[in-house]
Amino acid sequence: MKNIVILGSTGSIGTSSLSCIAGLGADYRVIGLTANNNVDLFLKQIHAFKPRFAALMNPQAYEQVKDQMPKGTRLLPPEMESFTFLASLPSADLVINGLVGAVGFMPLISAIKAGKTIALANKEPMVMAGKTIMEECQRWEAAIIPVDSEPSAIFQCLTDADETTYNKMQDRISRVFLTASGGPFAKRKAALSTVTPQEALKHPRWKMGKKITIDSATLMNKGFEAIEIMNLFNLPEEKVQIVIHPQSIIHSAVEYVDGSILAQMGAPDMRLPIQYAITYPERKPSPAQKLNLFEVAKLEFMEPDFERFPCLSLAFEAYRLGGIYPAVLSAVDEVAVDSFLKEEIKFTDIPKLIYTVLKNTHSGGGKVNLNQAAEADAMAREAALVSLQSKSYRKAII
Ligand code: MG
């Protein structure tokens, strides 16, 4: 029996997780669900899965649902403590973190300190302070199972990974191929400055939440994933090769020192890596579509264009600088994507805003502790808003 808590149950990862769990039978039980403000969907989920605990972050949403809980479900107050409490629930065997952005940071730390196994889709904390997070995992004997398709693919190709440390296999790996679909603009000839949110939200392969879809269009998502896998699997930068692979059939691959490459393939369906994180180390029948190799017929691989997609260069630059820079990168990206979705800035202003705040950040390199990362996140958001207001980001030349 696996008791499961889902953080972010109404989002893309949360709803797919529940659809997998519904098909897995009585051995998988949902004991906690949290969401932000999607009241209708949340109530449906609560009544379908009847968890012991529920929490909503938004106070108005909490007021709306507080008298509608089924018998046996306790609704916790709309505050971060409820999320961190559920992330560390003693009876939880697995905590699925499907939160978006830095809001997932504190619950993740709480789960780690409780020695939990965490199915992690929320990549921002791993960007902000991934090395420290992995040290904390070792200290508290917590484990991180990646949920995102590419880190999951790498995880599946690591033949003797220890998910608490990931430290045993580095000598045998010569390269990791981190694949990227390239997003909706990989083949676009026209300038990217006129891209609208509607166009950027049309991902050619994957159905995902809004933030990650925009990050995929700028390729920042791949930059984040590169940082995530370097931190998670303790890989040096020179062993990470980003590969544009428009078909999204190979979800990433690991090359061993003897030249043998193990790749994980499958239909581009998030339920596949999500369910694997839920059932690991077992494999179970899944609702994900099966791949038809004859329909796929052809696989293409190209080098990424760092000039046309400067977010990718910014991500590597922030990683190399270390210190609080990756936290700043992640925080400003959140502000920039939000601003682009509200049509306040252009698509090409996203990297300009990030560059502007990174350039004005002064910090030593090396490792950050968790408080420093959280402070840098708050500081960078403030700086991003100031730059948006003064429009100073427009002067950035990148
Ligand atoms: Mg991904």
Side-chain angles (χ1 to χ4, degrees):
M1 168 76 81
K2 246 187 210 183
N3 287 323
I4 303 170
V5 168
I6 303 181
L7 307 174
S9 68
T10 57
S12 165
I13 297 292
T15 48
S16 294
S17 298
L18 286 172
S19 101
C20 291
I21 292 167
L24 284 169
D27 287 347
Y28 295 81
R29 189 170 64 176
V30 176
I31 58 166
L33 291 178
T34 80
N36 180 29
N37 60 6
N38 189 342
V39 168
D40 294 341
L41 181 55
F42 189 64
L43 279 174
K44 264 188 213 152
Q45 294 177 337
I46 295 291
H47 285 273
F49 290 90
K50 301 195 172 56
R52 274 176 38 216
F53 295 99
L56 282 168
M57 190 61 101
N58 184 293
Q60 281 98 31
Y62 168 83
E63 287 300 323
Q64 275 175 269
V65 306
K66 72 173 199 267
D67 300 322
Q68 300 182 58
M69 289 296 114
K71 207 168 151 258
T73 298
R74 197 172 132 211
L75 184 69
L76 301 173
E79 55 199 28
M80 184 48 96
E81 283 69 27
S82 300
F83 278 56
T84 52
F85 168 74
L86 285 181
S88 59
L89 208 59
S91 52
D93 301 303
L94 179 72
V95 177
I96 301 177
N97 181 344
L99 296 168
V100 178
V103 74
F105 191 71
M106 293 315 292
L108 173 64
I109 301 305
S110 165
I112 290 171
K113 289 188 173 168
K116 296 293 171 195
T117 297
I118 303 135
L120 187 67
N122 180 208
K123 62 187 72 170
E124 287 84 354
M126 285 303 291
V127 172
M128 290 166 68
K131 287 213 160 57
T132 310
I133 286 172
M134 293 314 288
E135 282 179 4
E136 292 291 308
C137 280
Q138 237 170 307
R139 183 167 153 212
W140 301 97
E141 292 179 22
I144 292 183
I145 313 289
V147 166
D148 196 11
S149 59
E150 298 83 356
S152 169
I154 296 166
F155 178 64
Q156 293 181 59
C157 295
L158 297 174
T159 46
D160 62 352
D162 164 354
E163 65 275 16
T164 300
T165 65
Y166 291 111
N167 275 340
K168 289 184 192 152
M169 70 286 163
Q170 275 73 14
D171 298 349
R172 306 192 301 126
I173 295 171
S174 55
R175 265 187 303 178
V176 165
F177 296 102
L178 178 64
T179 56
S181 69
F185 310 127
K187 289 180 177 164
R188 179 179 160 122
K189 294 275 181 287
L192 293 173
S193 55
T194 57
V195 162
T196 64
Q198 289 72 26
E199 289 174 297
L201 286 171
K202 274 195 206 114
H203 196 277
R205 296 283 165 205
W206 295 98
K207 207 178 151 289
M208 305 177 288
K210 278 186 184 177
K211 158 88 176 14
I212 190 170
T213 305
I214 301 300
D215 282 341
S216 298
T218 62
L219 291 197
M220 181 58 98
N221 181 51
K222 213 45 59 180
F224 284 162
E225 277 175 10
I227 299 176
E228 182 188 1
I229 63 163
M230 289 188 279
N231 287 335
L232 182 62
F233 302 121
N234 193 15
L235 293 166
E237 188 187 331
E238 58 278 11
K239 287 192 180 179
V240 175
Q241 173 67 60
I242 294 176
V243 180
I244 304 294
H245 167 45
Q247 291 81 14
S248 295
I249 297 299
I250 291 184
H251 301 307
S252 280
V254 174
E255 182 189 70
Y256 285 87
V257 284
D258 59 0
S260 185
I261 296 174
L262 299 190
Q264 188 264 334
M265 296 168 72
D269 186 329
M270 277 308 291
R271 288 173 299 185
L272 218 154
I274 288 172
Q275 179 165 307
Y276 186 64
I278 293 170
T279 62
Y280 176 81
E282 290 184 62
R283 289 192 187 267
K284 302 264 182 190
S286 127
Q289 350 152 210
K290 294 283 187 293
L291 185 61
N292 182 333
L293 281 176
F294 303 111
E295 250 169 49
V296 175
K298 195 172 100 179
L299 299 178
E300 294 173 287
F301 306 99
M302 288 160 280
E303 280 193 59
D305 186 340
F306 283 80
E307 264 168 47
R308 197 162 156 79
F309 297 98
C311 283
L312 206 47
S313 312
L314 290 172
F316 277 99
E317 192 57 35
Y319 176 78
R320 279 175 215 131
L321 288 167
I324 62 168
Y325 289 98
V328 171
L329 174 88
S330 164
V332 184
D333 179 65
E334 255 186 79
V335 176
V337 168
D338 186 52
S339 190
F340 168 68
L341 285 171
K342 290 181 186 149
E343 297 185 61
E344 294 163 357
I345 63 170
K346 290 190 285 192
F347 185 75
T348 43
D349 289 335
I350 295 174
K352 285 188 178 186
L353 182 63
I354 297 167
Y355 173 81
T356 302
V357 180
L358 279 175
K359 208 181 70 170
N360 291 323
T361 299
H362 302 287
S363 143
K367 219 164 42 194
V368 290
N369 65 38
L370 302 173
N371 286 338
Q372 289 168 324
E375 277 165 26
D377 177 88
M379 184 271 304
R381 278 165 208 270
E382 204 52 50
L385 292 174
V386 169
S387 179
L388 280 175
Q389 211 152 37
S390 69
K391 306 207 187 310
S392 65
Y393 65 89
R394 287 189 181 169
K395 290 188 220 114
I397 300 163
I398 49 169

